[in-house]
Amino acid sequence: MTVLEQMGVNAKAAARTLLTAGELKNKALLAIADALVENAGEIIAANELDLTAARENGTRAALIDRLTLTQARIEGMAEGVRQVAALPDPVGKVLDGSVRPNGLKIEKVRVPLGVIAIIYEARPNVTSDAAALCLKSGNAVILRGGKEAINSNKCIADIMRAAVEKAGLPKDCIALVEDTSRASSVELMQLTDYVDVLIPRGGAGLIKSVVENSKVPVIETGAGNCHVYVDKTADIDMAVSIINNAKTSRPSVCNAIETILVHKDIAEKALPAIKAKLDEKDVTLRCCERSAAILDGVESACEDDWYTEYGDYILAVKVVDSIDEAIAHIAKYSTGHSEAIVTESYKAAQKFTDEVDSAAVYVNASTRFTDGGEFGLGAEIGIATQKLHARGPMGLNELTSMKFIIRGDGQIR
Amino acid sequence: MTVLEQMGVNAKAAARTLLTAGELKNKALLAIADALVENAGEIIAANELDLTAARENGTRAALIDRLTLTQARIEGMAEGVRQVAALPDPVGKVLDGSVRPNGLKIEKVRVPLGVIAIIYEARPNVTSDAAALCLKSGNAVILRGGKEAINSNKCIADIMRAAVEKAGLPKDCIALVEDTSRASSVELMQLTDYVDVLIPRGGAGLIKSVVENSKVPVIETGAGNCHVYVDKTADIDMAVSIINNAKTSRPSVCNAIETILVHKDIAEKALPAIKAKLDEKDVTLRCCERSAAILDGVESACEDDWYTEYGDYILAVKVVDSIDEAIAHIAKYSTGHSEAIVTESYKAAQKFTDEVDSAAVYVNASTRFTDGGEFGLGAEIGIATQKLHARGPMGLNELTSMKFIIRGDGQIR
């Protein structure tokens, strides 16, 4: 039996204990939060090893920043765990129920998924964040973080495992894969006997690789090629404000926009106003022929631009003849994350929300709101861009399954 | 572009039309039902070609029976389609909603999945059955049936496509893969650009192959290694009745049981009574050492028996020391389909329903009730034995996804 298989066996056994752990889960979460703060010095020392290696490898500053843990950041991680503890327990909720004509009482109840594996990159805060969400929803978790954060992750995982055990649950509710080679990631994707669901968290490359190679069912998260469509009836000031916010408030995140589609009847007025605002943040515009004819000092867009998630201060711009053309463009190029229409027309708003098939469809608001916290889900493990099981921001409910419980008094069929 | 890719493009376009098809879907379903009956002669003639080939290949009688279409069976298929038309439309249902502190109005609404592919074996009635469920739930469907039924399937699919078109929807809402080679099945499993979900319907071999090879997300259905646990407090008459029903009323189906687990304190009384009843149907018992010591004329069970879905008049029998041992046995060997406890103990019933992690967990009733119709779902596309998206009998709701619609008045973040 390989190290990972043994980890799978242990996680599955721990998951059975978690089925009926009830309030012990919260006790364990609070113990984790306390232990993270108490052992902050140890975590910072381990993190220093990762930071030294990163600096020696010439890692760029943005990545080093994500990797860095400070006293304040560790307290933030602990606070995040406490917030998860304070959320209502999703397990056991009766989702539906009926009494059948033969007297069978049928209930559909929420249960944990079982064992969840998370493959992620170099953000050590994900280690406590993901573990807390999985534990709260009654799942054992196998964490497989990036090699850049391995010393930090090992230290955090050890602290969490000890805290879970002290609270009276099996320490194998949380496990960390210490082998950060590609092989361990590949093996995890084949562990169908032990792992119920695999959730990749990270960049597009990581997610694509997991989706294509995993035999374990995957919840796909993250990629966001999002659009704002400026309808011919749009309030131009509102369009400018929404586009500016959706592009420039945080360009690197998945709910930022990458392309705007502007109705031809409003393009001559709207485009210069939009450009003037975006110029304040030096946003590069990649324009179709018709928008380039209206604007000065812009680049030309090619077919690839419509597909690209820039994650940067770049925005593709296209003039469209109709709302139908806008919807068709989104259907073709979007990753199905978040799209918005800016319009004063009731009919256009209805049409857009009916016909655009993305996880979040907005009327007159910024796509930047696609987020578990903003949607009131309390916490978020990621944003699903697929259609099975979960779509959009995933909270604790999305980390659960359900089962039917049927109570009878001897019924046969 | 291959034939299947073109089929995918067409299905995706048809799926967009279906997003807002509303009542046209019912019109199309009723047109299909009428057309099936009107063209019954043509279907029977096509079916005769399949039957002749099957007889020439020495196909066994049970399979030939499944393959055979008669006037009555075609009328049954049409009636099934009419029943689906009469069900409430799952699309558009508001599942949740709230107004956020910033004034954003968020709604979570049910939407179609998009394009569903169904891979199935030699039952031509699945062709109309699956198409009707997909169409009703607003999905385009790509059907890939077994080669044994290809002439029947082509005829049925042509009739359905013509009926859908006559009703005013694109005929590509329904498509049949005419190439029944393994290659077409493999290609379908890679068609991630066009197919949103793949549902295999058929035997364990087919399902395993699809689950292991598909890059398209799969809903796993069907395999049922189901158990009845006879608790020490069980009413023996009830246990006999439930076990007899669950084993012998239809041994080939997935909700039939394969193993019984009997508490040691009741084994000496219960086992002879169970055997006496099952002897009436010549059920072969494969017994553990302790049960073999109680019963005469039984076979010995080996480790493999606990894993086997016999689908036949064979039942594995094991004496257990406790309810915990029964639950552990189920956790190890079950496929997670349906399990039952027979007990008069409140505590044992609670423990069993809390700790057994299968799609359907019964107290004092036969596992044979695990079925969409019996659960009141109105119709069923299969029984999911996985934990993501759908679990247990899948009705129209399980053929849908959801999206968030967010209405604002200019909110930015």
Side-chain angles (χ1 to χ4, degrees):
Chain A
M1 190 169 274
T2 67
V3 171
L4 264 177
E5 282 168 346
Q6 187 61 53
M7 201 174 266
V9 169
N10 297 348
K12 207 167 172 174
R16 281 191 58 203
T17 307
L18 282 173
L19 281 178
T20 52
E23 198 53 25
L24 268 186
K25 297 184 295 189
N26 287 335
K27 200 179 158 194
L29 288 167
L30 296 177
I32 286 173
D34 291 345
L36 288 173
V37 175
E38 280 162 24
N39 298 286
E42 199 186 319
I43 298 172
I44 288 169
N47 184 242
E48 195 48 53
L49 297 176
D50 291 329
L51 289 172
T52 304
R55 285 188 208 102
E56 281 170 5
N57 292 332
T59 307
R60 62 190 171 93
L63 284 181
I64 292 203
D65 179 57
R66 281 188 204 167
L67 185 57
T68 304
L69 293 177
T70 60
Q71 181 74 28
R73 284 187 179 182
I74 292 167
E75 278 167 19
M77 286 161 60
E79 185 49 33
V81 175
R82 281 193 196 98
Q83 283 170 6
V84 171
L87 292 171
D89 191 336
V91 172
K93 184 177 166 67
V94 179
L95 302 169
D96 202 359
S98 65
V99 181
R100 300 296 303 157
N102 60 9
L104 282 181
K105 294 182 172 64
I106 301 188
E107 266 180 7
K108 186 172 166 180
V109 299
R110 214 184 263 297
V111 299
L113 281 165
V115 178
I116 299 177
I118 317 258
I119 298 188
Y120 56 107
E121 294 176 332
R123 302 179 75 138
N125 61 313
V126 173
T127 307
S128 63
D129 186 27
L133 289 166
C134 289
L135 187 57
K136 177 79 191 195
S137 50
N139 299 290
V141 65
I142 298 178
L143 299 159
R144 201 284 191 188
K147 66 174 184 306
E148 301 80 0
I150 185 63
N151 291 293
S152 316
N153 288 342
K154 270 204 259 195
C155 182
I156 295 166
D158 284 345
I159 290 166
M160 293 196 295
R161 283 164 60 87
V164 166
E165 194 164 39
K166 204 172 131 194
L169 284 172
K171 62 177 185 296
D172 291 318
C173 293
I174 300 171
L176 178 79
V177 180
E178 300 196 359
D179 170 5
T180 58
S181 69
R182 192 175 142 64
S184 77
S185 182
V186 170
E187 190 185 346
L188 196 53
M189 294 187 226
Q190 321 295 322
L191 226 55
T192 49
D193 283 347
Y194 308 108
V195 180
D196 293 290
V197 189
L198 188 57
I199 305 177
R201 280 186 64 167
L206 169 73
I207 290 164
K208 188 161 185 283
S209 156
V210 171
V211 168
E212 291 194 349
N213 297 305
S214 182
K215 293 197 174 175
V216 174
V218 171
I219 301 180
E220 189 172 349
T221 63
N225 181 12
C226 305
H227 299 74
V228 168
Y229 165 60
V230 182
D231 187 44
K232 64 180 171 187
T233 66
D235 173 326
I236 291 180
D237 289 342
M238 189 193 286
V240 168
S241 161
I242 287 174
I243 289 167
N244 179 55
N245 179 260
K247 178 73 257 181
T248 69
S249 61
R250 215 174 150 196
S252 65
V253 295
C254 59
N255 56 20
I257 58 168
E258 311 299 347
T259 296
I260 59 170
L261 305 164
V262 182
H263 193 283
K264 65 177 166 53
D265 293 356
I266 202 172
E268 297 217 19
K269 279 180 95 170
L271 282 173
I274 293 165
K275 181 169 187 297
K277 187 71 191 171
L278 295 178
D279 279 348
E280 293 173 14
K281 299 272 176 61
D282 287 329
V283 176
T284 301
L285 300 183
R286 299 247 174 106
C287 291
C288 70
E289 278 188 27
R290 290 158 84 184
S291 50
I294 297 168
L295 298 170
D296 291 324
V298 296
E299 298 181 3
S300 289
C302 63
E303 176 73 8
D304 270 357
D305 283 291
W306 314 129
Y307 285 107
T308 304
E309 185 178 1
Y310 300 113
D312 204 345
Y313 290 88
I314 306 172
L315 182 68
V317 182
K318 188 180 167 73
V319 171
V320 293
D321 284 333
S322 63
I323 184 171
D324 285 298
E325 189 186 340
I327 292 170
H329 181 100
I330 290 169
K332 179 164 181 190
Y333 297 103
S334 167
T335 53
H337 191 298
S338 302
E339 334 289 347
I341 183 174
V342 184
T343 188
E344 294 298 308
S345 156
Y346 176 80
K347 211 167 167 178
Q350 292 287 93
K351 185 177 172 71
F352 194 82
T353 53
D354 280 348
E355 297 184 21
V356 171
D357 188 23
S358 292
V361 184
Y362 291 83
V363 180
N364 294 345
S366 169
T367 56
R368 290 277 290 106
F369 289 106
T370 304
D371 170 276
E374 293 293 335
F375 277 16
L377 305 182
E380 177 189 295
I381 191 108
I383 294 172
T385 51
Q386 42 153 53
K387 294 189 191 172
L388 273 190
H389 186 73
R391 199 176 192 200
M394 292 192 289
L396 290 172
N397 286 347
E398 284 68 36
L399 296 180
T400 64
S401 180
M402 43 70 56
K403 71 180 178 190
F404 289 96
I405 294 175
I406 307 97
R407 295 185 178 87
D409 47 15
Q411 282 85 344
I412 58 173
R413 186 178 172 194
Chain B
M1 190 170 274
T2 68
V3 172
L4 265 175
E5 282 169 346
Q6 186 60 55
M7 202 174 265
V9 169
N10 296 347
K12 206 167 173 177
R16 281 191 58 204
T17 307
L18 282 173
L19 281 178
T20 52
E23 198 53 25
L24 266 187
K25 297 185 293 189
N26 288 335
K27 199 178 158 196
L29 287 168
L30 296 176
I32 286 174
D34 290 345
L36 288 173
V37 175
E38 279 161 25
N39 298 285
E42 198 185 320
I43 298 172
I44 289 170
N47 184 242
E48 194 49 52
L49 298 175
D50 291 328
L51 290 172
T52 304
R55 285 188 208 102
E56 281 169 5
N57 293 331
T59 307
R60 63 190 171 90
L63 284 182
I64 291 202
D65 179 56
R66 282 189 204 168
L67 185 58
T68 304
L69 293 177
T70 60
Q71 180 73 30
R73 285 187 177 182
I74 292 166
E75 279 168 17
M77 287 161 61
E79 185 49 32
V81 175
R82 281 192 196 98
Q83 283 170 8
V84 171
L87 292 172
D89 191 336
V91 172
K93 184 176 167 66
V94 178
L95 301 169
D96 203 357
S98 64
V99 181
R100 301 295 304 155
N102 59 7
L104 282 181
K105 293 182 172 65
I106 301 188
E107 267 182 6
K108 186 172 165 180
V109 299
R110 212 184 263 300
V111 298
L113 281 165
V115 178
I116 299 178
I118 317 257
I119 298 187
Y120 56 107
E121 294 176 330
R123 302 179 73 140
N125 60 312
V126 173
T127 306
S128 62
D129 186 26
L133 289 165
C134 290
L135 187 56
K136 177 80 191 194
S137 49
N139 298 290
V141 64
I142 297 179
L143 300 158
R144 199 284 191 188
K147 66 174 184 303
E148 301 81 358
I150 185 64
N151 291 293
S152 316
N153 288 342
K154 271 204 257 193
C155 182
I156 295 165
D158 284 345
I159 290 166
M160 292 195 297
R161 283 165 60 87
V164 166
E165 194 164 39
K166 205 173 128 193
L169 284 172
K171 62 178 186 298
D172 291 318
C173 292
I174 300 172
L176 178 79
V177 179
E178 301 198 357
D179 171 6
T180 58
S181 69
R182 193 175 140 63
S184 77
S185 182
V186 169
E187 189 185 347
L188 196 52
M189 294 186 225
Q190 320 296 322
L191 225 56
T192 49
D193 283 347
Y194 309 108
V195 180
D196 293 288
V197 189
L198 187 58
I199 305 178
R201 281 185 65 167
L206 169 74
I207 290 164
K208 189 162 185 285
S209 156
V210 171
V211 168
E212 291 194 349
N213 297 307
S214 182
K215 294 198 173 174
V216 175
V218 171
I219 301 181
E220 189 172 351
T221 63
N225 181 12
C226 305
H227 300 74
V228 168
Y229 164 60
V230 182
D231 187 44
K232 64 181 172 187
T233 67
D235 173 327
I236 291 181
D237 289 342
M238 191 193 286
V240 168
S241 161
I242 286 173
I243 289 167
N244 179 57
N245 179 261
K247 179 73 257 184
T248 70
S249 62
R250 216 173 149 196
S252 65
V253 294
C254 59
N255 57 20
I257 58 168
E258 311 298 346
T259 295
I260 59 171
L261 305 163
V262 182
H263 193 283
K264 66 177 164 55
D265 293 353
I266 202 172
E268 297 218 15
K269 278 181 97 169
L271 283 174
I274 292 164
K275 181 171 188 297
K277 187 71 191 173
L278 295 178
D279 278 348
E280 293 174 13
K281 299 271 176 61
D282 287 328
V283 176
T284 302
L285 300 184
R286 299 247 173 104
C287 291
C288 71
E289 278 187 27
R290 291 157 85 184
S291 51
I294 296 169
L295 298 170
D296 292 325
V298 296
E299 298 180 2
S300 290
C302 64
E303 176 72 8
D304 271 357
D305 282 292
W306 314 128
Y307 284 108
T308 304
E309 186 180 0
Y310 301 113
D312 203 346
Y313 290 89
I314 306 171
L315 182 68
V317 181
K318 187 178 166 76
V319 171
V320 294
D321 283 333
S322 63
I323 185 171
D324 285 298
E325 189 185 340
I327 292 169
H329 181 100
I330 290 168
K332 180 165 182 189
Y333 297 103
S334 168
T335 53
H337 190 297
S338 300
E339 333 290 346
I341 182 174
V342 185
T343 188
E344 293 299 308
S345 157
Y346 176 80
K347 211 167 167 175
Q350 292 288 93
K351 185 178 172 70
F352 194 83
T353 53
D354 279 349
E355 296 185 21
V356 171
D357 187 24
S358 292
V361 185
Y362 290 83
V363 180
N364 294 344
S366 170
T367 56
R368 290 276 290 107
F369 288 105
T370 305
D371 170 276
E374 294 292 335
F375 278 16
L377 305 182
E380 177 189 294
I381 191 108
I383 295 173
T385 51
Q386 44 153 50
K387 294 187 190 170
L388 273 190
H389 185 73
R391 198 177 192 200
M394 291 191 288
L396 290 171
N397 286 348
E398 283 68 34
L399 295 180
T400 64
S401 180
M402 43 68 59
K403 72 181 179 192
F404 289 95
I405 295 176
I406 306 97
R407 295 185 177 87
D409 47 15
Q411 282 86 343
I412 59 172
R413 186 180 172 193

